[in-house]
Amino acid sequence: MPTGAPGPVDDSDKGGLRAALSGLTTRGRSFLAAGVAAAVCAYVLGQGDLLRVGLLLAVLPLVCVAVLYRTRYRVSGSRRLSPSRVPTGSEARVHLRMDNESRLRTGLLMLQDRVPYVLGPRPRFVLDRVEPGGVREVSYRVRSDLRGRYPLGPLQLRLSDPFGMCELTRSFSAYDTLVVIPRTEPLPVLRLAGEASGYGDGRQRSLALAGEDDIIPRGYRHGDDLRRVHWRSTARYGELMVRREEQPQRARCTVLLDTRRIAYRGAGPGSAFEWAVSAAASALMHMLERGYSVRLLTDEGSAVPDGSADGFAGSTQESADSAGLMMDTLAILDHSDGGGLSRAHDVLRGNDEGLLVAFFGDLDEEQAAVAARMRQRSRGAVAFVLDGDDWARDGAAVPSAPVSDRLRLLREAGWTAISVPPRAELSRLWQQAGQGGSGTQPPAAGTTTGLPGGWA
């Protein structure tokens, strides 16, 4: 399906003859100037043959302007993105389609699409004459290493006469948007400290019946098992009633992303902030795949999704929609000007929040204390702490003394706290978190570690 379908463009509208004259090419202007000069010389010198040559040179571009101006082409175009949402560093293909809806054969057409410079050079295509009712399809690729929402369009169509004397440009009105989301990393399936299974043993349940005498029945529906019919309620209400089934509640997970500008150093695809955004996206997708109700929370206290009653994604369909919404939010997420985590702390309501997975930048003593108090409002908490100084200088993998103090404070509060060295792989850090966060460094590449007993 086309993601955008610009409406037909009638080349007879917009502007007037003055606009058509402004479309004269360098060749057309040269012919016109040469014709005028030849006519003046012929008048001064009294040369009739030269006057005829001058008139021919001057009239030819004007005739081309008039013919191109009065030619009624009706052309429609559409654009289709495949896909419309891509991770950073991946390519998307843009398909363009042009339809000649007029009864005339078009001249030579130049099709041009406007794209932001971060997606690559502006694509241009030369289309041969399109027969009445004919179709031309072209495509090009775009790619970006930076997250964001990038507008594509509008399409521009440039018409020219056979002699190249005049060119007219017409623009379609529709835009499309390419969303470049953070790149995600597959994570190992394991049980984090204090975590309940998404749909397995230990999940919470909302019981619709607490006993034979404490039942909330509902009306019989076609296909219900007759063994669930509750005869006492049927006799009371005068219609067939059945017992409600046990309603499982999905385990919850909140992914907290610290976006404070003062908490990070550097910029660009390899910066600490971009790593944190990508890691948060990976954690969100991983927990959703495991059947959790997940939400994204920032240091400013804004939660995604925020439309449901409890702030978490609900059913499977809602989870799919919420996943797209959260990834779109991460695509355009930027640094905040806030200096603290108190707003995020206030959003966390209590132990019913479930698992808390946080990605912190630099933490001073005050903010480390606020983060430590967040542990009291969750069933389990895992923190990944980035040392901005280490990331800025791409330094050693050993955390500095201040970072070690913050990690110790978080661990004493009950967090599973992990230090994140530059260019670390989240999968290894995740596995370390599953082992209770022992040590400060992830296992080296190729090292085999014992599997924790809590693997799901």
Side-chain angles (χ1 to χ4, degrees):
M1 294 294 294
T3 57
V9 171
D10 192 339
D11 290 331
S12 65
D13 60 3
K14 294 185 181 180
L17 188 58
R18 180 179 299 177
L21 288 173
S22 65
L24 281 172
T25 62
T26 302
R27 179 185 298 176
R29 296 177 187 273
S30 300
F31 267 67
L32 183 60
V36 172
V40 172
C41 293
Y43 177 77
V44 173
L45 301 176
Q47 296 291 329
D49 294 338
L50 183 59
L51 178 61
R52 285 189 289 271
V53 173
L55 291 177
L56 177 63
L57 293 175
V59 169
L60 180 60
L62 297 178
V63 171
C64 292
V65 168
V67 171
L68 194 62
Y69 172 71
R70 294 190 58 84
T71 299
R72 296 179 180 271
Y73 295 144
R74 188 168 179 82
V75 182
S76 65
S78 63
R79 182 191 299 106
R80 178 171 58 87
L81 303 181
S82 176
S84 60
R85 182 189 289 119
V86 296
T88 55
S90 299
E91 291 185 343
R93 183 168 290 275
V94 184
H95 302 269
L96 304 178
R97 175 187 171 113
M98 302 300 301
D99 296 83
N100 182 14
E101 300 180 356
S102 66
R103 297 182 179 180
L104 299 175
R105 184 184 183 90
T106 69
L108 200 63
L109 304 178
M110 177 177 287
L111 184 63
Q112 177 177 279
D113 204 6
R114 289 186 177 180
V115 300
Y117 71 94
V118 295
L119 297 182
R122 179 173 296 183
R124 293 181 175 89
F125 303 94
V126 177
L127 306 180
D128 200 1
R129 296 174 176 81
V130 184
E131 64 280 3
V135 176
R136 296 291 186 272
E137 294 184 353
V138 293
S139 65
Y140 63 93
R141 294 176 295 180
V142 291
R143 178 183 180 274
S144 175
D145 292 326
L146 300 175
R147 298 176 293 111
R149 294 172 60 90
Y150 300 104
L152 301 179
L155 279 171
Q156 290 184 334
L157 195 62
R158 183 177 298 176
L159 312 174
S160 62
D161 64 280
F163 299 101
M165 299 288 180
C166 180
E167 290 182 348
L168 296 181
T169 301
R170 295 290 182 260
S171 296
F172 297 95
S173 58
Y175 290 80
D176 291 297
T177 302
L178 175 67
V179 181
V180 182
I181 60 177
R183 181 174 293 277
T184 59
E185 181 180 348
L187 302 179
V189 179
L190 50 86
R191 184 76 59 82
L192 299 177
E195 173 190 4
S197 304
Y199 276 120
D201 296 336
R203 66 180 181 269
Q204 299 176 349
R205 290 182 178 269
S206 174
L207 298 181
L209 56 96
E212 190 66 21
D213 297 326
D214 185 14
I215 298 176
I216 304 176
R218 63 169 175 81
Y220 176 83
R221 298 171 186 169
H222 179 72
D224 284 339
D225 191 346
L226 292 179
R227 290 175 294 182
R228 290 171 48 210
V229 173
H230 190 254
W231 299 107
R232 184 179 301 176
S233 298
T234 299
R236 178 184 301 175
Y237 294 103
E239 60 177 325
L240 206 57
M241 307 293 290
V242 297
R243 297 182 179 90
R244 291 181 184 270
E245 290 182 335
E246 216 175 54
Q247 302 297 326
Q249 291 183 351
R250 303 175 74 188
R252 293 177 174 179
C253 176
T254 298
V255 177
L256 171 62
L257 177 59
D258 181 9
T259 65
R260 296 172 298 137
R261 189 181 303 275
I262 62 176
Y264 298 94
R265 309 284 190 275
S271 64
F273 180 67
E274 292 301 323
W275 188 97
V277 172
S278 179
S282 301
L284 286 170
M285 299 307 298
H286 176 73
M287 302 309 289
L288 282 172
E289 290 172 357
R290 293 189 57 190
Y292 278 72
S293 292
V294 183
R295 70 173 173 180
L296 172 66
L297 180 65
T298 66
D299 57 288
E300 293 187 312
S302 57
V304 182
D306 58 358
S308 58
D310 56 4
F312 290 84
S315 65
T316 303
Q317 181 60 37
E318 291 174 349
S319 296
D321 296 339
S322 298
L325 178 60
M326 288 185 284
M327 296 302 287
D328 289 346
T329 301
L330 289 174
I332 60 175
L333 191 65
D334 201 356
H335 290 289
S336 69
D337 295 326
L341 302 170
S342 57
R343 292 183 180 179
H345 174 270
D346 294 339
V347 173
L348 299 175
R349 295 170 296 185
N351 288 336
D352 60 339
E353 295 294 327
L355 177 65
L356 175 61
V357 180
F359 297 90
F360 294 119
D362 287 336
L363 294 174
D364 56 24
E365 186 174 354
E366 179 182 356
Q367 299 311 315
V370 175
R373 292 196 298 270
M374 292 181 183
R375 175 62 182 87
Q376 303 172 1
R377 301 196 172 190
S378 62
R379 294 179 180 270
V382 180
F384 298 91
V385 183
L386 289 79
D387 186 351
D389 292 335
D390 277 350
W391 278 81
R393 63 175 179 265
D394 199 7
V398 179
S400 60
V403 175
S404 299
D405 293 340
R406 308 297 181 253
L407 292 173
R408 183 172 60 255
L409 177 61
L410 293 177
R411 288 166 182 162
E412 290 174 353
W415 285 82
T416 300
I418 308 295
S419 175
V420 181
R423 300 190 309 275
E425 293 184 9
L426 179 61
S427 59
R428 296 178 182 174
L429 299 175
W430 194 266
Q431 186 172 357
Q432 182 183 351
Q435 301 176 24
S438 57
T440 59
Q441 298 308 314
T447 301
T448 304
T449 59
L451 300 182
W455 276 69

